[in-house]
Amino acid sequence: MINTGFLTMISVVLTFTNTAYVSASKRYNEPIKPIPIDKEYDKQKVELGKKLFFDPRLSKSGWLSCNSCHNLAMGGDDNLPSSIGHQWQLGPINSPTVLNAKFNLAQFWDGRAKDLQEQAAGPIANPGEMASSHQLAVATLQSIPNYRSLFEQAYGVTKITINEVTDAIAKFEETLVTPDSRFDKWLLGNEKAITQLEKEGYELFKAKGCVSCHNGVGVGGNTYQKFGLVKTYPKDVENLGRYNVTKKEADKYVFKVPLLRNIELTAPYFHDGSVWSLHEAVNVMAEYQLGVKLSTPETEKIVAFLKTLTGKQPRITYPVLPPESPETPKPNRS
C-alpha cells in the first residue's frame, strides 16, 4: 500500500529544492570559489598569536599593535588612506585587510613577503610603523613571565626568538576568514541567497572582464597586475610597486591584486587610498584596467554584487595581556 503522506512530503521537499536551491555542482566551474571552513589549527599557538596581535608592547612606543593598522572591528584594516605609525608618521601606502589574507599569493602590495609569517616581522622593525627591533621585541616578551610560559607550552622553547613570535601571529591571522557570505551561499546552491539585481551584477562582473583578475577564493590576491593597464593612472606616480622588489622595468606600477572579500567594509580603496566610494572605485577600475565606461545602472549592479561578498566576521574576544615585570623594557616615544 502506498503511503500518500510520504509521497506528499517528498513532493514538498522536491518543490522546495527546485525553487530555493540548485545543485552546487552546477556552479562548480564558476571563477569565484566559496571560502572553505577549516577548523584544524593549533589552538595554543593561535591564542598566543592573538595576544601578540593585540599587544602594543611589540612597538617601541608601547602604543601600536598589529590591530592598530589591521583593526578587526573595522574590516581588518584602519579605514585610512595610509596608516599612522611611530610619532604620527604617515605610511606610504594603504593598509590592506588582514581578513582572508591567507588566500593571497604573497603579502604586502608589492608581494615582498612570501607569507603571513614573513609579513608579521616587517612592521615590528619598520621605523615608520612600530619602530622597534626584533631584538627589543623578543627581549620584551622574554621579560614577561607569563609569555615565557605560553611560548614554552606552544613551542617547547624557553628562549623566545622572533621566529616563534611571527609564527604565532601568522597562525592567528590564518583563522581570520569570513565564510558564509550571501554569494558563497549562492555558489553552494541557495538560489535565493542573492537577488536578481545582484546576479545581473555578477554577470556584468564576468562579462566586462573584472573576473580575469578578481577570481578564486579571495576574489583576487592571486596575481600581480599593473595599475593603469590600458590608461596611465595619474594620482600616484611615486609608488613603483613590484619594481621595488624585482628592479625590473616591467614591474613598475605593478601591484598584487587586492582581495574583494568584504570590500564594502574596507574603504578607502586602491594602494594609494585615493577613493572612498565603492561606485567610484568600480568606475576607475573599468576605465584604467579594462578601457570601458560603465553606465550608471551597470555600476549599480556591480556594486550590488560586490556587497554580497561580505562574509561572517570573526568573533574576537579581546585578550587579557600578561603583565610586565620590573625587567620589561620601558616604552620609548622618541
Side-chain angles (χ1 to χ4, degrees):
M1 182 176 180
I2 298 176
N3 187 328
T4 56
F6 179 74
L7 289 179
T8 301
M9 180 182 70
I10 291 294
S11 176
V12 169
V13 170
L14 288 175
T15 300
F16 175 77
T17 302
N18 289 336
T19 58
Y21 287 83
V22 299
S23 171
S25 63
K26 291 184 178 179
R27 298 190 178 126
Y28 180 79
N29 290 323
E30 291 293 337
I32 296 174
K33 307 300 179 186
I35 292 178
I37 299 176
D38 181 11
K39 295 184 178 180
E40 294 296 322
Y41 52 82
D42 189 316
K43 292 184 179 179
Q44 281 189 322
K45 291 180 180 179
V46 167
E47 286 302 310
L48 173 55
K50 180 168 73 171
K51 291 182 187 296
L52 297 171
F53 186 89
F54 283 96
D55 200 328
R57 291 170 296 189
L58 291 179
S59 69
K60 182 180 180 181
S61 65
W63 182 56
L64 296 167
S65 70
C66 302
N67 193 63
S68 299
C69 298
H70 301 286
N71 194 322
L72 299 183
M74 298 173 65
D77 66 352
D78 54 15
N79 296 157
L80 295 171
S82 63
S83 297
I84 299 172
H86 186 68
Q87 293 187 325
W88 295 94
Q89 296 178 78
L90 292 178
I93 202 163
N94 182 254
S95 180
T97 179
V98 72
L99 299 181
N100 303 303
K102 66 181 288 184
F103 301 124
N104 284 316
L105 82 163
Q107 304 300 323
F108 295 115
W109 282 97
D110 58 12
R112 65 183 181 274
K114 68 178 184 296
D115 54 28
L116 286 170
Q117 181 178 6
E118 190 171 313
Q119 186 279 329
I124 294 173
N126 188 322
E129 296 185 59
M130 297 170 82
S132 185
S133 67
H134 292 166
Q135 293 79 8
L136 178 58
V138 167
T140 298
L141 297 172
Q142 191 75 42
S143 74
I144 298 173
N146 188 239
Y147 265 134
R148 292 200 300 268
S149 176
L150 290 171
F151 274 96
E152 185 170 6
Q153 291 170 27
Y155 290 94
V157 298
T158 55
K159 185 174 177 58
I160 303 167
T161 71
I162 194 64
N163 184 67
E164 289 86 39
V165 174
T166 54
D167 182 72
I169 293 172
K171 290 290 192 296
F172 170 63
E173 291 177 341
E174 287 170 2
T175 69
L176 301 176
V177 296
T178 59
D180 295 330
S181 71
R182 290 194 294 117
F183 189 73
D184 281 359
K185 291 176 180 178
W186 180 78
L187 286 175
L188 293 171
N190 185 345
E191 190 67 22
K192 293 186 176 180
I194 63 176
T195 67
Q196 182 60 35
L197 181 74
E198 291 160 348
K199 291 175 188 175
E200 290 174 11
Y202 177 49
E203 291 305 317
L204 281 169
F205 188 82
K206 292 190 290 184
K208 296 294 183 180
C210 312
V211 79
S212 62
C213 295
H214 293 286
N215 51 58
V217 174
V219 199
N222 46 21
T223 61
Y224 297 104
Q225 296 291 336
K226 183 178 180 180
F227 194 4
L229 189 62
V230 299
K231 181 179 178 181
T232 301
Y233 181 71
K235 290 185 178 180
D236 181 11
V237 296
E238 299 298 324
N239 198 316
L240 299 179
R242 187 84 179 133
Y243 173 83
N244 294 329
V245 178
T246 67
K247 302 305 179 185
K248 296 179 180 178
E249 190 69 21
D251 283 338
K252 283 186 176 179
Y253 310 113
V254 170
F255 299 90
K256 177 168 58 66
V257 174
L259 306 168
L260 293 188
R261 294 281 180 179
N262 312 293
I263 191 67
E264 67 173 319
L265 307 178
T266 59
Y269 302 112
F270 310 142
H271 67 280
D272 61 351
S274 61
V275 172
W276 287 87
S277 162
L278 188 52
H279 289 76
E280 183 181 351
V282 168
N283 287 331
V284 168
M285 283 287 97
E287 180 181 357
Y288 288 89
Q289 299 303 106
L290 302 173
V292 300
K293 182 173 178 58
L294 299 173
S295 68
T296 299
E298 287 176 329
T299 302
E300 292 286 350
K301 289 177 181 179
I302 292 175
V303 168
F305 153 66
L306 291 175
K307 290 182 178 181
T308 72
L309 297 172
T310 301
K312 185 177 180 182
Q313 304 298 293
R315 296 185 62 128
I316 305 296
T317 302
Y318 202 87
V320 176
L321 302 179
E324 59 268 13
S325 74
E327 290 75 38
T328 301
K330 301 300 183 286
N332 183 348
R333 290 178 291 177
S334 63

